[in-house]
């Protein structure tokens, strides 16, 4: 069985698990450690090292990690939802030194999108697929005929004078105590804008809240077909592991 390891760095937790590359499923139990406060590069790198060390992994296993910001050739150009000192950091360099293994780093939504395109809801789907993750922010990935266009930041579209994720993320729903119906109205505004700009063939909606998709997906009024993510919260880990195995740079 070919295995790779994925680590998903998020605003509230850092999660890791070994992944069976054939099926895109975990081969062992996922380990989650709360994101340290403050979430500085050094503190988060330490948590990643602890996660890796708690699994008995052969030295040559590919390791991929996701990060909640764009990653341009390894470097974070800006950061919305972790400590501001991440700006300008070369993530694979930092993590390789902390973990003692070669690692690749990729935007969290790109990893999720790649996993959905490889194993999940967008598998073998031709045309333009937009995968969004609704969480602390709004992550986005564009996949065209199975190929990922990295670092697309549709969570930061400015809509009605607001940064879109500040109004329509799952964190905004919780913060403002919105009902599913109220939230779906905001999501309709959001997805209609994305639809108008990109004319996608499919929307895949992921993030932890997608397990409640029956509550809000049917209330979102767009023309583009919209489906819940198949891998839910596992998508980041699975996509990062698979990209590491595929030699993503
Ligand atoms: C970041 C994205 C990230 C998304 C979800 C946004 O604030 O800019 O890079 O994918 O949050 O974590």
């Amino acid at each position: 069985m070919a295995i790779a390891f994925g680590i998903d760095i998020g605003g509230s937790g850092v999660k890791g698990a070994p992944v069976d590359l054939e099926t895109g499923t975990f081969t062992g139990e996922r380990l989650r450690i709360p994101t340290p406060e403050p979430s500085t590069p050094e503190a988060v790198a330490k948590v990643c090292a602890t996660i890796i060390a708690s699994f008995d992994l052969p030295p040559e296993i590919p390791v991929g990690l996701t990060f909640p910001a764009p990653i341009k050739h390894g470097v974070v150009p800006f950061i919305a939802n972790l400590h501001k000192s991440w700006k300008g950091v070369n993530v694979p360099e930092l993590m390789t030194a902390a973990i003692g293994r070669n690692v690749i780093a990729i935007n969290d939504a790109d990893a999720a999108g790649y996993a959905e395109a490889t194993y999940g809801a967008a598998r073998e789907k031709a045309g333009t697929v937009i995968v969004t993750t609704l969480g602390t922010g709004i992550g986005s990935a564009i996949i065209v005929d199975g190929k990922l266009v990295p670092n697309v930041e549709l969570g930061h579209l400015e809509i009605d004078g607001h940064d879109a994720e500040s109004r329509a993320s799952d964190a905004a729903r919780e913060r403002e105590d919105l009902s599913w119906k109220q939230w779906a109205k905001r999501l309709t505004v959001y997805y209609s804008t994305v639809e108008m700009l990109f004319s996608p063939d499919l929307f895949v909606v992921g993030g932890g809240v997608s397990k409640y998709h029956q509550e809000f997906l049917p209330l979102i009024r767009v023309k583009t077909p919209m489906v819940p993510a198949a891998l839910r919260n596992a998508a980041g880990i699975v996509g990062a592991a698979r990209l590491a195995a595929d030699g993503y740079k």
Side-chain angles (χ1 to χ4, degrees):
M1 188 200 311
I3 291 180
F5 197 85
I7 297 185
D8 190 4
I9 300 173
S12 57
V14 184
K15 297 146 270 180
V19 174
D20 176 346
L21 296 169
E22 194 65 44
T23 57
T25 53
F26 296 167
T27 64
E29 210 170 309
R30 186 190 81 152
L31 175 62
R32 179 184 190 277
I33 297 182
T35 306
E37 264 305 325
S39 53
T40 58
E42 295 66 35
V44 173
K46 242 191 206 163
V47 169
C48 292
T50 305
I51 290 178
I52 284 272
S54 64
F55 289 84
D56 187 19
L57 302 171
E60 70 283 356
I61 192 169
V63 178
L65 44 95
T66 78
F67 197 74
I71 303 271
K72 191 168 177 199
H73 307 305
V75 177
V76 180
F78 71 87
I79 179 98
N81 294 316
L82 276 190
H83 198 265
K84 297 296 171 223
S85 60
W86 278 98
K87 187 174 172 204
V89 168
N90 185 308
V91 181
E93 261 175 42
L94 168 83
M95 292 294 178
T96 297
I99 295 173
R101 291 167 185 265
N102 282 328
V103 307
I104 63 120
I106 178 164
N107 170 259
D108 55 4
D110 283 347
Y114 194 70
E116 291 295 335
T118 311
Y119 304 105
R123 192 171 177 178
E124 285 165 17
K125 177 81 192 164
T128 302
V129 178
I130 298 190
V131 179
T132 53
T133 58
L134 303 173
T136 311
I138 297 182
S140 57
I142 299 191
I143 294 120
V144 183
D145 293 332
K147 194 154 174 30
L148 175 71
V149 181
N151 292 320
V152 170
E153 286 284 321
L154 303 182
H156 298 295
L157 282 175
E158 189 181 313
I159 302 176
D160 298 333
H162 298 275
D163 186 30
E165 71 176 23
S166 73
R167 303 271 299 158
S169 67
D170 190 41
R173 176 184 71 82
E174 286 185 342
R175 197 168 53 236
E176 298 182 45
D177 202 18
L178 301 175
S179 65
W180 294 115
K181 206 172 150 197
Q182 288 168 321
W183 189 42
K185 261 194 180 164
R186 293 195 185 182
L187 290 171
T188 296
V189 172
Y190 176 68
Y191 285 107
S192 313
T193 307
V194 176
E195 177 175 68
M196 181 268 290
L197 291 171
F198 293 92
S199 301
D201 295 292
L202 178 69
F203 280 123
V204 178
V205 179
V209 72
S210 64
K211 66 170 170 280
Y212 304 114
H213 63 91
Q214 275 143 335
E215 305 285 351
F216 65 95
L217 274 203
L219 306 177
I220 301 174
R221 303 265 167 255
V222 286
K223 293 178 210 83
T224 310
M226 187 172 247
V227 294
L231 284 89
R232 307 273 159 82
N233 246 359
I237 292 177
V238 171
R242 177 63 193 249
L243 280 155
D246 288 352
Y248 181 85
K249 291 244 187 313

